[in-house]
Amino acid sequence: MNRTGQIATALLLTGVTTFSHSATETFDTDKATFRLKMVAEGLAHPWALAFMPDGSQLVTERNGSLRRIRNGQLQEDPIKGLPELVVSGQGGLLDIILHPDFEQNQTLFLSYAHKISREGLTTRVARATLNGDQLEEVDVIFEAMPRGDTGRHFAGRMAFDGDGHLYVAVGDRGEMDRAQQTDDDAGGVHRITTKGEPAPGNPFLDDSAVNNTFFTYGNRNIQGMTTHPETGEIWSHEHGPRGGDEINIIRAGNNYGWPKVTYGIDYSGATISDKTTLDGITAPLHYWDPSIAPSGMAFYTGEAFPDWQGDLFVGALKMQKLVRLSIEDEKVVEEEDLLEDLGERIRDLRMGPDGALWLLTDDSSDGKVYRLVPAQ
């Protein structure tokens, strides 16, 4: 055990559960030595991060606030003009992504939970124009239907492809069978234009039995989504139940199997499916059993850590770590666990324009933003 782990163990044995890392502390790994530089703290369940052309960052807080970090300082006043949303269970303000032409049109997209009395909750996406610290021209462009009664599995992760089409993940809402019901928007990835129309070339446009925004289905609860830096394909990961967290490449028309196949079991211990593969079902590129509760993902494309080039990084909530995956020919050939001694739930990962890997940690009142930088 390294010195950090020994200190953490000692603190646990004495009943002290808080653990602070200094900005000068280094972390030695198989292929790199790095340190964490704190950018901001005191956030309430930070969920997603976006990098602005002026060098500032926008951070969503699940409690319904959109915050700006400017010159390393978290601004006290949130961005105004957010769409109407609800904070319920796992739902609230979720992902943020900038329009590919943001510098020209100042347009961004937000995903969030929304509720209508007697009709229930759902995942929505709104398009808005950012004017200073105010959102204007807020327009709801996607709403997953039908609504549900649970506060679980909203998903909400988003990504753009090279054609400027927006991919939106919707969870099964805690009702597993909905993920195989293709006239129900739950449990899949939807591909839309920036105005909310079904994207041209969607795989089910000519199939009346499938909602025409569907790109894939059979997805349980996607909590990470990113664009491959070379192929341009959308990669995702999703939570399994007890076991069976998955990494998938999101390809047109694919059924990823939930709940017909799974490597996990129900939280009660009951069997969900005795199958891990079936004809017509796309197998995951990688899975975890037991679950790590993955959240956030990014390919490393910076120059600070040459041996990490092209590796995929995944955060973990339950297991409180950062996972590095080296992938060749769509197979994981190396897996390394990092930051196990940090003691924080990692909610989101982003590759920054500065070449650093950025992390968000999940906490109700002291969520943090870190940059992962070389130790030198």
Side-chain angles (χ1 to χ4, degrees), residues 19 26 32 45 56 58 75 114 137 143 185 202 204 206 218 249 254-255 315 364:
F19 184 49
T26 61
H45 291 302
S56 66
L58 293 180
Q75 305 299 290
H114 184 263
E137 301 175 320
E143 180 175 71
D185 290 331
N202 274 2
F204 302 110
D206 297 326
I249 303 176
N254 283 11
N255 179 358
S364 61

Side-chain angles (χ1 to χ4, degrees), residues 114-157:
H114 184 263
K115 182 177 181 178
I116 295 177
S117 296
R118 296 185 300 277
E119 294 183 24
L121 300 94
T122 192
T123 303
R124 270 186 172 182
V125 174
R127 169 185 169 131
T129 301
L130 181 63
N131 183 3
D133 289 331
Q134 174 79 38
L135 293 181
E136 300 174 347
E137 301 175 320
V138 178
D139 184 26
V140 177
I141 63 167
F142 177 80
E143 180 175 71
M145 296 299 288
R147 293 169 177 265
D149 295 328
T150 77
R152 303 190 301 276
H153 299 184
F154 292 92
R157 289 294 181 192

Side-chain angles (χ1 to χ4, degrees), residues 152-374:
R152 303 190 301 276
H153 299 184
F154 292 92
R157 289 294 181 192
M158 298 184 291
F160 274 107
D161 65 16
D163 295 322
H165 297 139
L166 182 62
Y167 293 67
V168 179
V170 179
D172 69 359
R173 300 302 321 291
E175 300 172 302
M176 64 179 72
D177 291 337
R178 294 181 66 181
Q180 292 294 324
Q181 297 171 6
T182 52
D183 59 347
D184 181 332
D185 290 331
V189 175
H190 299 262
R191 182 171 174 258
I192 59 176
T193 69
T194 56
K195 294 183 178 180
E197 299 295 325
N202 274 2
F204 302 110
L205 290 178
D206 297 326
D207 188 343
S208 60
V210 185
N211 290 355
N212 56 15
T213 57
F214 263 119
F215 196 74
T216 69
Y217 62 104
N219 301 105
R220 183 176 184 266
N221 187 28
I222 289 175
Q223 294 290 295
M225 186 176 281
T226 192
T227 306
H228 193 284
E230 295 181 358
T231 68
E233 288 189 296
I234 306 300
W235 287 46
S236 76
H237 63 59
E238 60 185 81
H239 284 194
R242 283 177 54 186
D245 302 335
E246 297 181 1
I247 292 178
N248 291 300
I249 303 176
I250 298 302
R251 288 176 171 154
N254 283 11
N255 179 358
Y256 292 88
W258 176 255
K260 289 184 174 182
V261 301
T262 180
Y263 286 90
I265 59 175
D266 193 72
Y267 297 110
S268 67
T271 298
I272 295 171
S273 172
D274 61 356
K275 298 178 177 61
T276 57
T277 184
L278 277 174
D279 289 343
I281 300 296
T282 302
L285 180 143
H286 187 66
Y287 71 92
W288 286 276
D289 187 11
S291 294
I292 66 168
S295 190
M297 67 189 305
F299 285 98
Y300 184 77
T301 58
E303 298 180 357
F305 302 102
D307 289 338
W308 284 356
Q309 277 283 340
D311 286 354
L312 181 66
F313 286 79
V314 173
L317 296 167
K318 178 182 177 182
M319 293 299 186
Q320 298 183 348
K321 62 184 177 182
L322 176 66
V323 181
R324 180 184 66 83
L325 300 168
S326 180
I327 299 170
E328 296 178 4
D329 299 324
E330 299 181 2
K331 294 181 180 179
V332 173
V333 296
E334 183 181 6
E335 181 170 355
E336 182 183 15
D337 291 340
L338 313 176
L339 297 178
E340 292 179 283
D341 296 331
L342 185 63
E344 299 198 54
R345 291 158 49 89
I346 297 176
R347 170 60 73 179
D348 196 21
L349 293 173
R350 302 282 163 144
M351 189 64 219
D354 59 353
L357 194 63
W358 291 58
L359 317 178
L360 295 185
T361 65
D362 181 63
D363 188 89
S364 61
S365 61
D366 195 23
K368 300 177 181 68
V369 181
Y370 289 108
R371 292 173 64 238
L372 192 155
V373 298

Side-chain angles (χ1 to χ4, degrees), residues 52-54 58 68 97-109 127-132 134-137:
M52 309 301 287
D54 66 0
L58 293 180
R68 189 191 293 270
I97 191 169
L98 304 185
H99 192 288
D101 297 322
F102 179 85
E103 290 193 68
Q104 286 71 45
N105 59 27
Q106 303 298 299
T107 297
L108 57 78
F109 301 83
R127 169 185 169 131
T129 301
L130 181 63
N131 183 3
Q134 174 79 38
L135 293 181
E136 300 174 347
E137 301 175 320

